[in-house]
Amino acid sequence: MNKRYELLIFDWDGTLADSIGRIVLAMNSAAERAGVAPSSDDAIKGIIGLALGEAIATLYPHLDTAQVEVFRQYYAEIYMALDQEPSPLFEGVVESLEAFRAEGYRLAVATGKARRGLDRVLKANGLEGYFDITRAADETRGKPHPLMLEQILAHCRVEPQRALMVGDSAFDLQMASNAGMHSVAVGYGAMSLAALSEFGPQVCIDHFSQLREWLAASRTHSKVGEHG
């Protein structure tokens, strides 16, 4: 089957998993424990996707390295307590991932989560076997640096123009652009579609199942172009 894209790469928080609310709560609870002012929901959503230490330093630039590390530990403890039952996957995610695999797509995850946290939620959701490769922020360069995507592309032996990054943050879309890849913006996570549209996604969706519809239409269009 001819496909315009061979490899689909997904962010986790806010793209596959409905976890943004917990991240906001954990970040402000950690701020309270660390003795710093809480941030607005929008400010916290604006750093989701970054590696945790970088996210904290961006929100609280007056903190030194040691203070950021203490804050990071507080956040990790609080988030783990909140996430004893992992955040649910968005509607349509499991069915769509199963369909993508049946249709022959390669699948991957590129996340700002740490490896330990990613492995935990993959196992809890029964998704360990769904992805060809997963990359976490503490084992490579963080978003929007393209290294995470470059490692995935190399592992899968797929050219950038044949891969698609799906994410809910500016960092996801910037990372894709930095890697020479196309992207899809989802509007039900950290950032609005109005904000994400500025970063040049191929398409904007507000429900995960729309990705499958768009890919099917894109594939059909590609075939018509080949034979027209």
Side-chain angles (χ1 to χ4, degrees), residues 48-212:
I48 292 174
L50 294 175
L52 181 54
E54 184 179 356
I56 294 166
T58 301
L59 281 175
Y60 298 100
H62 64 283
L63 298 182
D64 62 28
T65 302
Q67 290 171 318
V68 168
E69 176 58 23
V70 170
F71 194 121
R72 189 196 66 77
Q73 292 175 5
Y74 288 155
Y75 173 90
E77 292 169 4
I78 293 166
Y79 190 84
M80 281 290 292
L82 292 172
D83 212 45
Q84 288 298 309
E85 180 178 340
S87 300
L89 301 178
F90 285 107
E91 181 182 2
V93 165
V94 173
E95 297 86 349
S96 296
L97 292 178
E98 289 176 347
F100 292 146
R101 292 206 308 168
E103 291 163 7
Y105 287 101
R106 311 283 296 278
L107 305 180
V109 169
T111 179
K113 299 179 82 66
R115 169 53 60 185
R116 179 181 177 186
L118 178 60
D119 285 346
R120 180 174 58 83
V121 294
L122 286 172
K123 182 176 181 180
N125 287 287
L127 294 180
E128 303 112 298
Y130 274 64
F131 302 102
D132 291 74
I133 181 175
T134 61
R135 299 301 287 164
D138 60 344
E139 59 192 11
T140 183
R141 293 287 298 273
K143 302 173 184 180
H145 194 282
L147 181 60
M148 189 182 298
L149 293 182
E150 290 168 352
Q151 292 170 338
I152 291 172
L153 292 169
H155 174 86
C156 295
R157 298 182 180 181
V158 173
E159 295 298 316
Q161 63 270 22
R162 303 286 285 175
L164 192 66
M165 176 70 207
V166 184
D168 68 312
S169 79
F171 307 115
D172 296 322
L173 275 56
Q174 289 173 319
M175 177 175 65
S177 179
N178 291 340
M181 287 174 47
H182 286 160
S183 63
V184 170
V186 303
Y188 49 77
M191 297 183 66
S192 69
L193 289 181
L196 292 173
S197 64
E198 298 180 12
F199 298 95
Q202 293 295 103
V203 67
C204 296
I205 61 175
D206 53 24
H207 191 283
F208 192 83
S209 63
Q210 292 173 336
L211 176 61
R212 187 181 178 198

